[in-house]
Amino acid sequence: MEPITEKQVLEKIRDINAVVREGNIYDKNTMDNLPFQKLVQFLAISLQSNAYLISEIGELLGYFASYEEVNSERTQAMMEARQLDPRYLQSLALIVNTVANIPITDDRTIFALERRDQYQEGNTTIIPIYEKRQKMGYLILARPHESFTDLDLILGEYVGTILAMEMIFIQRRRVREQEKHRQEVDLAISSLSYSELNALYVIFKDVHEPRVRITASKIAKEENITRSVIVNALRKMESAGVFSSRSLGMKGTHI
């Protein structure tokens, strides 16, 4: 593999800047899965490496493998679940500055345990991502045979800086969306009559699972309330996004 040159680094930084100017740094179509896939893929291809962007709690925010074969079935399952092993995160917690070319024998390597004998020259580079003093996550790069050069690190850290700003943007947007949803729920609850509120209490007081099946007519008879009160209460909560329901006909309602 030919090492990256200073001229190529400059060209790639200009390419990244062009993406940022277009406001096209993250993929809106994959926001719920890998929101920063576009930039992570750009970096992985540019450096001919695997690239992983993870939040501080291990949520996978972007992933592209130039060397898919280094993953085992176990690590591939983690990629698909969008969550890294908590034990691996613990090994990263003390990293405050970029650590380059971590060998395969180090617990901080991103290479699967099952593949270490095959990739004894494998190198991992970990770039912690900060917004001010807050650690947002990690940008992890991996190569099975080659070391990362200083020029590779310059490009990697530049991308990491861009990602930090975008991660803050996404985080703030999620907070706003959660607050909006909370307000909608509060509004829906305040619109409930005493009878409707009581009906919801009766339905959910002993529910401990995320899914439940109810029969409104049975509850109405047992609690001496009308079926319409139960139906109205459920509709108001469903419209606020608290839960979703599906009619099962004579068998009741699945919530």
Side-chain angles (χ1 to χ4, degrees), residues 66-81:
S66 298
Y67 304 96
E68 192 70 59
E69 65 274 12
V70 305
N71 288 320
S72 65
E73 291 184 5
R74 179 179 59 84
T75 55
Q76 188 60 42
M78 285 193 291
M79 298 301 110
E80 293 173 359

PDB file of all heavy atoms in Angstrom, residues 66-81:
ATOM      1  N   SER A  66     -12.748  -1.518   4.966  1.00  0.00           N
ATOM      2  CA  SER A  66     -11.972  -1.798   3.759  1.00  0.00           C
ATOM      3  C   SER A  66     -11.463  -3.234   3.810  1.00  0.00           C
ATOM      4  O   SER A  66     -11.149  -3.830   2.780  1.00  0.00           O
ATOM      5  CB  SER A  66     -10.793  -0.828   3.653  1.00  0.00           C
ATOM      6  OG  SER A  66     -11.243   0.505   3.543  1.00  0.00           O
ATOM      7  N   TYR A  67     -11.393  -3.772   5.048  1.00  0.00           N
ATOM      8  CA  TYR A  67     -10.941  -5.148   5.267  1.00  0.00           C
ATOM      9  C   TYR A  67     -11.999  -5.873   6.097  1.00  0.00           C
ATOM     10  O   TYR A  67     -11.867  -6.027   7.314  1.00  0.00           O
ATOM     11  CB  TYR A  67      -9.588  -5.170   5.990  1.00  0.00           C
ATOM     12  CG  TYR A  67      -8.499  -4.378   5.289  1.00  0.00           C
ATOM     13  CD1 TYR A  67      -8.220  -3.066   5.674  1.00  0.00           C
ATOM     14  CD2 TYR A  67      -7.754  -4.933   4.252  1.00  0.00           C
ATOM     15  CE1 TYR A  67      -7.226  -2.333   5.038  1.00  0.00           C
ATOM     16  CE2 TYR A  67      -6.768  -4.205   3.609  1.00  0.00           C
ATOM     17  CZ  TYR A  67      -6.508  -2.904   4.008  1.00  0.00           C
ATOM     18  OH  TYR A  67      -5.532  -2.188   3.380  1.00  0.00           O
ATOM     19  N   GLU A  68     -13.057  -6.311   5.446  1.00  0.00           N
ATOM     20  CA  GLU A  68     -14.172  -6.960   6.135  1.00  0.00           C
ATOM     21  C   GLU A  68     -13.748  -8.273   6.775  1.00  0.00           C
ATOM     22  O   GLU A  68     -14.311  -8.703   7.791  1.00  0.00           O
ATOM     23  CB  GLU A  68     -15.299  -7.214   5.137  1.00  0.00           C
ATOM     24  CG  GLU A  68     -16.609  -7.618   5.779  1.00  0.00           C
ATOM     25  CD  GLU A  68     -17.269  -6.474   6.529  1.00  0.00           C
ATOM     26  OE1 GLU A  68     -17.568  -5.449   5.913  1.00  0.00           O
ATOM     27  OE2 GLU A  68     -17.475  -6.629   7.754  1.00  0.00           O
ATOM     28  N   GLU A  69     -12.715  -8.900   6.226  1.00  0.00           N
ATOM     29  CA  GLU A  69     -12.322 -10.221   6.691  1.00  0.00           C
ATOM     30  C   GLU A  69     -11.760 -10.227   8.109  1.00  0.00           C
ATOM     31  O   GLU A  69     -11.664 -11.282   8.744  1.00  0.00           O
ATOM     32  CB  GLU A  69     -11.291 -10.834   5.738  1.00  0.00           C
ATOM     33  CG  GLU A  69      -9.941 -10.107   5.669  1.00  0.00           C
ATOM     34  CD  GLU A  69      -9.929  -8.964   4.665  1.00  0.00           C
ATOM     35  OE1 GLU A  69     -11.016  -8.586   4.190  1.00  0.00           O
ATOM     36  OE2 GLU A  69      -8.837  -8.467   4.365  1.00  0.00           O
ATOM     37  N   VAL A  70     -11.383  -9.057   8.651  1.00  0.00           N
ATOM     38  CA  VAL A  70     -10.809  -9.040  10.004  1.00  0.00           C
ATOM     39  C   VAL A  70     -11.887  -9.223  11.071  1.00  0.00           C
ATOM     40  O   VAL A  70     -11.578  -9.507  12.230  1.00  0.00           O
ATOM     41  CB  VAL A  70     -10.025  -7.734  10.284  1.00  0.00           C
ATOM     42  CG1 VAL A  70      -8.956  -7.522   9.228  1.00  0.00           C
ATOM     43  CG2 VAL A  70     -10.950  -6.533  10.370  1.00  0.00           C
ATOM     44  N   ASN A  71     -13.148  -9.074  10.685  1.00  0.00           N
ATOM     45  CA  ASN A  71     -14.236  -9.247  11.647  1.00  0.00           C
ATOM     46  C   ASN A  71     -14.623 -10.712  11.764  1.00  0.00           C
ATOM     47  O   ASN A  71     -14.657 -11.447  10.775  1.00  0.00           O
ATOM     48  CB  ASN A  71     -15.474  -8.438  11.231  1.00  0.00           C
ATOM     49  CG  ASN A  71     -15.270  -6.953  11.415  1.00  0.00           C
ATOM     50  OD1 ASN A  71     -14.688  -6.526  12.405  1.00  0.00           O
ATOM     51  ND2 ASN A  71     -15.758  -6.160  10.469  1.00  0.00           N
ATOM     52  N   SER A  72     -14.926 -11.131  12.981  1.00  0.00           N
ATOM     53  CA  SER A  72     -15.450 -12.474  13.211  1.00  0.00           C
ATOM     54  C   SER A  72     -16.980 -12.396  13.194  1.00  0.00           C
ATOM     55  O   SER A  72     -17.551 -11.312  13.092  1.00  0.00           O
ATOM     56  CB  SER A  72     -14.973 -12.999  14.565  1.00  0.00           C
ATOM     57  OG  SER A  72     -15.515 -12.204  15.613  1.00  0.00           O
ATOM     58  N   GLU A  73     -17.625 -13.524  13.306  1.00  0.00           N
ATOM     59  CA  GLU A  73     -19.088 -13.519  13.362  1.00  0.00           C
ATOM     60  C   GLU A  73     -19.566 -12.725  14.579  1.00  0.00           C
ATOM     61  O   GLU A  73     -20.578 -12.025  14.523  1.00  0.00           O
ATOM     62  CB  GLU A  73     -19.623 -14.957  13.433  1.00  0.00           C
ATOM     63  CG  GLU A  73     -19.418 -15.747  12.145  1.00  0.00           C
ATOM     64  CD  GLU A  73     -20.036 -17.133  12.225  1.00  0.00           C
ATOM     65  OE1 GLU A  73     -20.700 -17.414  13.256  1.00  0.00           O
ATOM     66  OE2 GLU A  73     -19.854 -17.923  11.287  1.00  0.00           O
ATOM     67  N   ARG A  74     -18.818 -12.830  15.670  1.00  0.00           N
ATOM     68  CA  ARG A  74     -19.185 -12.132  16.901  1.00  0.00           C
ATOM     69  C   ARG A  74     -19.090 -10.621  16.724  1.00  0.00           C
ATOM     70  O   ARG A  74     -20.023  -9.876  17.075  1.00  0.00           O
ATOM     71  CB  ARG A  74     -18.271 -12.580  18.045  1.00  0.00           C
ATOM     72  CG  ARG A  74     -18.554 -11.896  19.377  1.00  0.00           C
ATOM     73  CD  ARG A  74     -17.605 -12.423  20.444  1.00  0.00           C
ATOM     74  NE  ARG A  74     -16.212 -12.200  20.070  1.00  0.00           N
ATOM     75  CZ  ARG A  74     -15.565 -11.048  20.294  1.00  0.00           C
ATOM     76  NH1 ARG A  74     -16.184 -10.029  20.869  1.00  0.00           N
ATOM     77  NH2 ARG A  74     -14.303 -10.913  19.946  1.00  0.00           N
ATOM     78  N   THR A  75     -17.981 -10.149  16.169  1.00  0.00           N
ATOM     79  CA  THR A  75     -17.826  -8.701  16.006  1.00  0.00           C
ATOM     80  C   THR A  75     -18.740  -8.163  14.908  1.00  0.00           C
ATOM     81  O   THR A  75     -19.208  -7.032  14.984  1.00  0.00           O
ATOM     82  CB  THR A  75     -16.365  -8.331  15.705  1.00  0.00           C
ATOM     83  OG1 THR A  75     -15.911  -9.069  14.544  1.00  0.00           O
ATOM     84  CG2 THR A  75     -15.465  -8.680  16.875  1.00  0.00           C
ATOM     85  N   GLN A  76     -19.009  -8.983  13.899  1.00  0.00           N
ATOM     86  CA  GLN A  76     -19.944  -8.562  12.857  1.00  0.00           C
ATOM     87  C   GLN A  76     -21.344  -8.397  13.436  1.00  0.00           C
ATOM     88  O   GLN A  76     -22.084  -7.478  13.064  1.00  0.00           O
ATOM     89  CB  GLN A  76     -19.969  -9.586  11.720  1.00  0.00           C
ATOM     90  CG  GLN A  76     -20.757  -9.146  10.497  1.00  0.00           C
ATOM     91  CD  GLN A  76     -20.210  -7.868   9.879  1.00  0.00           C
ATOM     92  OE1 GLN A  76     -18.998  -7.691   9.764  1.00  0.00           O
ATOM     93  NE2 GLN A  76     -21.103  -6.979   9.495  1.00  0.00           N
ATOM     94  N   ALA A  77     -21.687  -9.268  14.374  1.00  0.00           N
ATOM     95  CA  ALA A  77     -22.993  -9.157  15.035  1.00  0.00           C
ATOM     96  C   ALA A  77     -23.082  -7.855  15.824  1.00  0.00           C
ATOM     97  O   ALA A  77     -24.142  -7.215  15.872  1.00  0.00           O
ATOM     98  CB  ALA A  77     -23.216 -10.347  15.961  1.00  0.00           C
ATOM     99  N   MET A  78     -21.964  -7.434  16.427  1.00  0.00           N
ATOM    100  CA  MET A  78     -21.951  -6.166  17.155  1.00  0.00           C
ATOM    101  C   MET A  78     -22.140  -4.997  16.205  1.00  0.00           C
ATOM    102  O   MET A  78     -22.831  -4.023  16.523  1.00  0.00           O
ATOM    103  CB  MET A  78     -20.640  -6.014  17.938  1.00  0.00           C
ATOM    104  CG  MET A  78     -20.560  -6.859  19.194  1.00  0.00           C
ATOM    105  SD  MET A  78     -19.193  -6.381  20.280  1.00  0.00           S
ATOM    106  CE  MET A  78     -17.783  -6.893  19.297  1.00  0.00           C
ATOM    107  N   MET A  79     -21.531  -5.082  15.015  1.00  0.00           N
ATOM    108  CA  MET A  79     -21.711  -4.021  14.027  1.00  0.00           C
ATOM    109  C   MET A  79     -23.181  -3.915  13.613  1.00  0.00           C
ATOM    110  O   MET A  79     -23.726  -2.824  13.492  1.00  0.00           O
ATOM    111  CB  MET A  79     -20.851  -4.297  12.784  1.00  0.00           C
ATOM    112  CG  MET A  79     -19.347  -4.341  13.013  1.00  0.00           C
ATOM    113  SD  MET A  79     -18.640  -2.833  13.694  1.00  0.00           S
ATOM    114  CE  MET A  79     -18.216  -3.390  15.349  1.00  0.00           C
ATOM    115  N   GLU A  80     -23.809  -5.057  13.433  1.00  0.00           N
ATOM    116  CA  GLU A  80     -25.205  -5.063  13.013  1.00  0.00           C
ATOM    117  C   GLU A  80     -26.126  -4.570  14.133  1.00  0.00           C
ATOM    118  O   GLU A  80     -27.153  -3.945  13.874  1.00  0.00           O
ATOM    119  CB  GLU A  80     -25.607  -6.475  12.572  1.00  0.00           C
ATOM    120  CG  GLU A  80     -24.890  -6.921  11.296  1.00  0.00           C
ATOM    121  CD  GLU A  80     -25.146  -8.371  10.954  1.00  0.00           C
ATOM    122  OE1 GLU A  80     -25.873  -9.041  11.724  1.00  0.00           O
ATOM    123  OE2 GLU A  80     -24.626  -8.845   9.925  1.00  0.00           O
ATOM    124  N   ALA A  81     -25.732  -4.855  15.389  1.00  0.00           N
ATOM    125  CA  ALA A  81     -26.524  -4.396  16.537  1.00  0.00           C
ATOM    126  C   ALA A  81     -26.250  -2.932  16.864  1.00  0.00           C
ATOM    127  O   ALA A  81     -26.933  -2.346  17.698  1.00  0.00           O
ATOM    128  CB  ALA A  81     -26.224  -5.266  17.754  1.00  0.00           C
TER     129      ALA A  81
END
